[in-house]
C-alpha cells in the first residue's frame, strides 16, 4: 500500500473510529424553571454544555444506585451572597422496578416533589451557614464547604424518605458545577 492510499484510508477511518468512541448517552437535565437568575458575571450553567457527569453509579448501604436526574437549584444568603449549582439524584433500579409493580409509575411524581422540596431546604440552610467572608478569588474552599454542609443537612431527610417510600436514593451536589455569588445574588422567586 503506498503512502497516498494509506493516508486516504486513515482520513476515512479516524473520524469513524472517533465517532464510535464518543459516548452517545447524554445526561437528562431537569427542564423545570431555574431557581436562580444570573446576577453577576459568572458563567451560567448551560443546558447545551452541561458539566461533565462522571459518577453515573454509586453504592449506598450495599445497594447499587444509578443517576436518574440532575436537579438545578440555588439560594441567596443576602443580596450579595449565594450559590447555584447542580445536584445528582441517584436511585436504586431494583427499588424503582418493585415500586412500579406495586404502586404504578404515577407515584414517582409525588416522590420527585418531596425530593425537590427537601433538597432546596437543605441548600437554603447550607447557604445560611456558609461563611462567605472567607472567600477570595479561589472559590474552591467555599464549594467544598458548601458540598459538605449540604450533604450533612440532607442526610436525615434522605433517610426518612427512604424509610417512608422504600426507595433508596441519594442526592449529591456536583461540586465542580457550583457558582458562588459574592457580589450580587438574586433568586427568580422566593422559597
Amino acid at each position: 500500500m503506498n503512502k497516498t492510499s494509506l493516508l486516504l484510508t486513515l482520513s476515512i477511518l479516524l473520524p469513524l473510529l472517533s465517532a464510535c468512541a464518543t459516548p452517545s448517552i447524554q445526561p437528562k437535565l431537569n427542564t423545570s424553571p431555574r431557581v436562580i437568575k444570573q446576577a453577576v458575571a459568572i458563567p451560567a450553567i448551560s443546558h447545551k454544555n452541561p458539566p461533565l457527569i462522571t459518577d453515573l453509579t454509586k453504592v449506598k448501604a450495599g445497594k447499587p444506585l444509578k443517576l436518574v436526574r440532575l436537579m438545578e437549584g440555588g439560594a441567596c444568603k443576602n443580596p450579595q451572597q449565594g450559590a447555584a449549582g447542580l445536584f445528582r439524584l441517584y436511585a436504586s433500579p431494583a427499588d424503582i422496578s418493585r415500586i412500579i409493580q406495586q404502586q404504578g409509575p404515577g407515584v414517582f411524581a409525588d416522590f420527585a416533589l418531596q425530593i425537590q422540596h427537601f433538597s432546596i431546604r437543605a441548600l437554603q440552610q447550607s447557604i445560611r451557614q456558609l461563611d462567605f467572608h472567607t472567600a477570595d478569588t479561589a472559590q474552591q474552599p467555599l464549594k467544598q464547604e458548601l458540598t459538605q454542609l449540604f450533604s450533612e443537612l440532607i442526610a436525615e431527610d434522605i433517610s426518612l424518605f427512604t424509610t417512608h417510600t422504600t426507595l433508596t436514593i441519594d442526592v449529591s451536589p456536583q461540586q465542580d458545577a457550583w457558582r458562588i455569588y459574592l457580589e450580587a445574588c438574586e433568586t427568580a422567586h422566593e422559597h
Side-chain angles (χ1 to χ4, degrees):
M1 188 180 267
N2 63 29
K3 284 186 179 181
T4 307
S5 62
L6 178 62
L7 288 175
L8 182 60
T9 304
L10 285 176
S11 68
I12 294 170
L13 286 178
L14 285 177
L16 292 174
L17 290 174
S18 65
C20 293
T22 304
S24 60
I25 299 174
Q26 294 295 322
K28 191 172 188 178
L29 293 175
N30 185 359
T31 57
S32 63
R34 293 185 63 167
V35 177
I36 280 283
K37 289 181 184 175
Q38 178 145 349
V40 293
I42 298 173
I45 298 166
S46 169
H47 291 282
K48 292 179 183 172
N49 288 323
L52 180 62
I53 307 295
T54 56
D55 301 328
L56 298 178
T57 61
K58 68 185 314 184
V59 176
K60 181 178 181 182
K63 284 188 171 183
L65 305 180
K66 289 189 176 184
L67 180 66
V68 293
R69 176 184 265 181
L70 288 179
M71 299 184 294
E72 186 176 26
C76 295
K77 181 174 186 172
N78 55 46
Q80 287 77 38
Q81 301 163 332
L86 293 177
F87 304 89
R88 297 172 296 204
L89 172 59
Y90 295 91
S92 165
D95 290 350
I96 291 171
S97 297
R98 178 183 42 78
I99 291 169
I100 288 173
Q101 288 177 346
Q102 292 174 349
Q103 301 177 38
V107 72
F108 289 101
D110 182 50
F111 290 177
L113 289 175
Q114 290 178 46
I115 294 166
Q116 183 179 12
H117 178 72
F118 65 70
S119 296
I120 290 294
R121 186 175 61 234
L123 177 60
Q124 290 170 335
Q125 291 171 349
S126 300
I127 289 174
R128 279 189 216 118
Q129 292 182 22
L130 192 63
D131 183 9
F132 287 89
H133 297 292
T134 62
D136 55 14
T137 56
Q139 295 187 8
Q140 195 60 29
L142 277 177
K143 291 178 180 183
Q144 290 172 340
E145 184 180 350
L146 184 56
T147 299
Q148 182 179 349
L149 281 169
F150 179 85
S151 297
E152 291 169 4
L153 290 168
I154 201 168
E156 185 177 342
D157 285 324
I158 289 173
S159 179
L160 290 171
F161 176 85
T162 299
T163 301
H164 182 279
T165 63
T166 70
L167 175 61
T168 305
I169 65 162
D170 196 26
V171 179
S172 303
Q174 186 170 333
Q175 188 170 308
D176 63 338
W178 281 113
R179 300 293 183 251
I180 304 293
Y181 296 94
L182 299 173
E183 297 174 13
C185 183
E186 182 180 328
T187 57
H189 54 278
E190 294 300 318
H191 291 281

